Amino acid sequence: MKLTFNIQGGDFTHAGKPSSEVKKVLKQLNVDGKTVKNIVIALYEAEVNVVAHAWKGTVLAEIDENKITIFVEDDGPGIPDIELAMQAGYSTASKQVRDMGFGAGMGLPNMKKNTDELLIESEVGKGTKVKMVNYFK
């Protein structure tokens, strides 16, 4: 099963729609509740990163009987130093984004914490690609 979503940069009103839809599908498939929670947290963090930092992006979720693989790809400024961005509390969010309660610097660390596999590729001036895999236990 494949689910695809578009994300618009700056659209905080609809941030969370892909993670909400994925959650519904996983519950219908009787995936363990803790696993669903981890997947939803990681996907929501990825969505908010696209909304807060990029111009647009896409989410592709591929679900099979053993796992979910989520690809999040954006057109945005890219991440100059992924290792630095993985540190808890590090953020490049604007004051406007922080004033809305986002951009506290926990996005990438939370994604790592809540996935079994995380791969991030980024090119400055072009965008970022994220692959997250969670195995159903």
Side-chain angles (χ1 to χ4, degrees):
M1 175 184 298
K2 292 183 180 182
L3 304 169
T4 304
F5 306 92
N6 293 316
I7 302 172
Q8 188 63 45
D11 184 6
F12 286 93
T13 302
H14 294 100
K17 184 176 179 184
S19 54
S20 180
E21 292 297 320
V22 167
K23 179 180 178 180
K24 285 180 196 171
V25 170
L26 294 175
K27 282 187 162 189
Q28 290 171 348
L29 295 172
N30 293 318
V31 174
D32 170 68
K34 182 169 179 7
T35 302
V36 172
K37 181 180 173 185
N38 290 345
I39 293 164
V40 169
I41 290 170
L43 179 52
Y44 181 77
E45 293 286 6
E47 291 175 59
V48 170
N49 279 343
V50 173
V51 171
H53 299 286
W55 301 287
K56 64 180 180 177
T58 58
V59 172
L60 170 63
E62 296 179 347
I63 303 168
D64 65 32
E65 66 272 5
N66 299 314
K67 68 183 180 309
I68 181 169
T69 305
I70 299 173
F71 301 91
V72 181
E73 196 169 322
D74 72 45
D75 293 333
I79 303 171
D81 186 338
I82 293 173
E83 189 175 321
L84 181 61
M86 291 298 295
Q87 294 180 10
Y90 178 80
S91 178
T92 59
S94 68
K95 182 179 181 330
Q96 180 184 13
V97 169
R98 288 176 185 246
D99 287 347
M100 289 189 290
F102 298 99
M106 296 304 295
L108 295 181
N110 269 346
M111 289 162 56
K112 182 176 181 179
K113 179 181 169 187
N114 286 288
T115 55
D116 295 317
E117 296 175 19
L118 174 67
L119 176 65
I120 301 172
E121 297 176 351
S122 189
E123 187 174 346
V124 174
K126 296 218 174 195
T128 301
K129 296 178 182 178
V130 174
K131 177 183 176 185
M132 300 181 286
V133 180
N134 284 71
Y135 295 95
F136 305 146
K137 296 160 178 119

